[in-house]
Amino acid sequence: MNPMMEFPMSTAMSVSFRPKLLAALVMTVLSAPLLAATPIAETAAPLDARGSFEASNVRGRISVTAWDRNEVSWSGSLGSGAKLIVEKNATRVSLRVESENGSSWTGWNKGPREDSVLVVKVPASASLDLSAVSANIDVTAMRGSASIEAESVSGEVGLRASSTDKLEISSVSGDVSFEGQAGRVDAETVSGDLRISGASGDVSVETVSGSAIVRATTVTEFEAASVSGDIDFEGALAANGRMDVESMSGDVSITLPANTSARVTAEAFSGDLSNAFGLTVEDEDGPGSTMHGKIGGGSASIEIESFSGDVDLRSR
Amino acid sequence: MDELEYRRLLKTLPHAIEPDRDLFPGIAARLETRAVAKSQRRGLFPFAAAAGFTAVAIAAGWMALQRAPGEMPAPTVAESAPMMLREARALRAEFDAALVAGTANRWTQVREQADPRFVAAWTELDAAEAELSEALEQDPNARFLLNRLKQVQEQRLHLTQKALSA
């Protein structure tokens, strides 16, 4: 169906709008080249295999992919009013997209009118420090990086098929995700959802209203905190590991291997407690209930606290 | 200083130190004194608001850590309230003071004129704080609720720092 048929317009109106429409079209065509993003010519600079790469962008995208060369290569496009600041030496390369007029642009009515895109290739084991405001950040195929830090305010932050000793990843309202291997993970959001897959070692996740889903191999320490977002963990806890989970109203689901060895203490004020390990759930004298006891030999420690969220300790 | 420069500067600051004793009663008492002092020097905050934020937060923490327990002034928050509720009130007062001082008494204007993305996040944090406060009233022995309250306040401070650099 012709979409115009759904919004019939009188002939008189149609005629009177035509000159304005034509003028608008002409203006759009004429102004398009002025607002078009400027391509960033592909450029490369040497960087040590264990060097550090930093990038910042306000809006648009930062896309980082690893390769097997000891150099950084970048291309992409700069939105209207943006400029690219490059600093480089053998151990550090920094790319910053900044406003041409030098003013700060975090203000929603002062910022760049167009997205800027950085497409970067880095040595696979380089360290990364990536910052954005509304720009999305994606990182792929890092291998053995000492540390990766990625932060955005409203943009999504995603790392895939990557391994690093230490990962710090956060967004306020954007979703955050990691798929790969990391010795230490610190992930944080306010309203964005958070998904961590493949972590081992120490994992810490914090959200306010976003949900947190963690799929781990074996963690030594797992700390999770939420106000109203749900927390969902599935993985193994090391023999002397520690798990500490706090939630106000979000539901907590912890799935562990049947042969887990841990001492469990769980408390809820009004939420329901349940488990698949035969632990006793007792009502407090006042409001609230507790669930505690030993699973297996009781070598690790699990502490869960909730106000009104349900807590479910599952076995797999 | 723009947002990204500010973040780089923040990373150079030392990490937070957890005190080994309860600091809130003393902080609450000093806030009252500080509030009077602030009202007397209103308008004397010409320096960058974001820098003010950091200075206030660091100064408050440093003062609290330096003072010996015996030197703590008497708490002014109602003694009859359960410990955790008093801590929550003191915590809120401390962060509110940091917000007001850090924005050179323009907190309301800053919030009204900020990027809608920040406003949405603040609203989210306001709701979380209200829910946590209510939960803490019902379960005043839940230390973890106080921890969450602190997390929310820190997020608000962090967001405000970002918005201020606009």
Side-chain angles (χ1 to χ4, degrees), chain A residues 56 96 104 106-108 129 131-132 134 149 151 154 188 190 206-207 209 225-226 246-248 269 306-307, chain B residues 2-4 7-8 11 114-117 124 128 131-132 135 138-139 144 147-148 151 155 158 162 165-166:
Chain A
S56 58
R96 301 199 310 272
S104 176
T106 317
W108 69 284
D129 187 348
S131 298
S134 61
E149 294 179 37
E151 178 185 32
S154 59
E188 191 173 313
V190 173
E206 272 194 12
T207 79
S209 58
S226 157
E246 297 179 351
S247 169
M248 186 195 75
F269 184 79
S306 163
F307 178 73
Chain B
D2 70 14
E3 157 70 13
L4 299 167
R7 280 192 208 167
R8 281 191 283 277
K11 287 179 180 174
D115 184 324
R117 292 168 300 196
E124 189 86 32
E131 290 171 10
L132 283 165
Q138 292 181 57
D139 189 6
F144 79 97
N147 295 341
R148 294 304 98 232
Q151 175 203 351
Q155 287 276 13
H158 190 51
K162 288 172 187 280
S165 59

Side-chain angles (χ1 to χ4, degrees), chain A residues 109-292:
Chain A
N109 54 354
K110 301 180 202 168
R113 289 168 294 166
E114 288 188 329
D115 291 350
S116 293
V117 176
L118 290 177
V119 179
V120 187
K121 292 176 180 169
V122 301
S125 56
S127 292
L128 304 180
D129 187 348
L130 312 172
S131 298
V133 176
S134 61
N136 293 338
I137 297 174
D138 63 83
V139 176
T140 309
M142 297 300 293
R143 292 190 303 278
S145 174
S147 76
I148 296 177
E149 294 179 37
E151 178 185 32
S152 184
V153 174
S154 59
E156 294 183 0
V157 182
L159 280 79
R160 282 162 196 82
S162 293
S163 66
T164 178
D165 295 341
K166 185 182 171 195
L167 173 66
E168 288 183 29
I169 183 171
S170 68
S171 182
V172 174
S173 56
D175 293 344
V176 164
S177 63
F178 171 70
E179 293 170 22
Q181 294 181 327
R184 165 87 209 173
V185 175
D186 285 286
E188 191 173 313
T189 69
V190 173
S191 58
D193 293 335
L194 196 156
R195 185 175 185 97
I196 307 291
S197 299
S200 58
D202 298 346
V203 178
S204 171
V205 294
E206 272 194 12
T207 79
V208 174
S209 58
S211 64
I213 299 174
V214 178
R215 297 291 177 263
T217 48
T218 300
V219 293
T220 309
E221 282 192 12
F222 175 63
E223 292 181 348
S226 157
V227 176
S228 57
D230 295 341
I231 295 171
D232 180 350
F233 172 92
E234 183 173 338
L237 185 59
N240 293 305
R242 186 177 66 84
M243 180 175 284
D244 192 352
V245 180
E246 297 179 351
S247 169
M248 186 195 75
S249 57
D251 293 338
V252 176
S253 173
I254 307 291
T255 305
L256 298 167
N259 62 354
T260 296
S261 169
R263 301 176 307 282
V264 177
T265 304
E267 295 180 15
F269 184 79
S270 58
D272 293 334
L273 301 176
S274 58
N275 73 91
F277 292 93
L279 302 173
T280 306
V281 178
E282 295 174 346
D283 289 335
E284 300 268 329
D285 290 340
S289 52
T290 62
M291 177 171 77
H292 54 85

Side-chain angles (χ1 to χ4, degrees), chain B residues 10-65:
Chain B
L10 273 181
K11 287 179 180 174
T12 67
L13 293 173
H15 292 292
I17 301 168
E18 284 293 326
D20 57 0
R21 57 191 162 75
D22 175 30
L23 302 172
F24 289 112
I27 292 172
R30 286 199 304 284
L31 274 175
E32 203 166 67
T33 311
R34 192 185 303 166
V36 173
K38 271 197 198 103
S39 67
Q40 291 170 344
R41 59 174 188 270
R42 184 166 291 180
L44 298 179
F45 275 83
F47 53 84
F53 241 121
T54 308
V56 168
I58 290 173
W62 186 83
M63 284 165 60
L65 287 168

Side-chain angles (χ1 to χ4, degrees), chain B residues 56-127:
Chain B
V56 168
I58 290 173
W62 186 83
M63 284 165 60
L65 287 168
Q66 295 300 309
R67 199 182 283 262
E71 295 176 285
M72 288 287 187
T76 55
V77 182
E79 286 289 0
S80 58
M83 176 73 176
M84 220 75 78
L85 291 179
R86 284 188 283 133
E87 289 187 19
R89 289 168 196 164
L91 181 71
R92 177 165 188 166
E94 178 71 8
F95 276 96
D96 283 351
L99 279 173
V100 170
T103 54
N105 292 315
R106 293 187 302 112
W107 163 234
T108 308
Q109 294 96 309
V110 167
R111 183 160 175 155
E112 285 171 354
Q113 294 165 10
D115 184 324
R117 292 168 300 196
F118 287 107
V119 176
W122 278 320
T123 304
E124 189 86 32
L125 293 172
D126 287 347

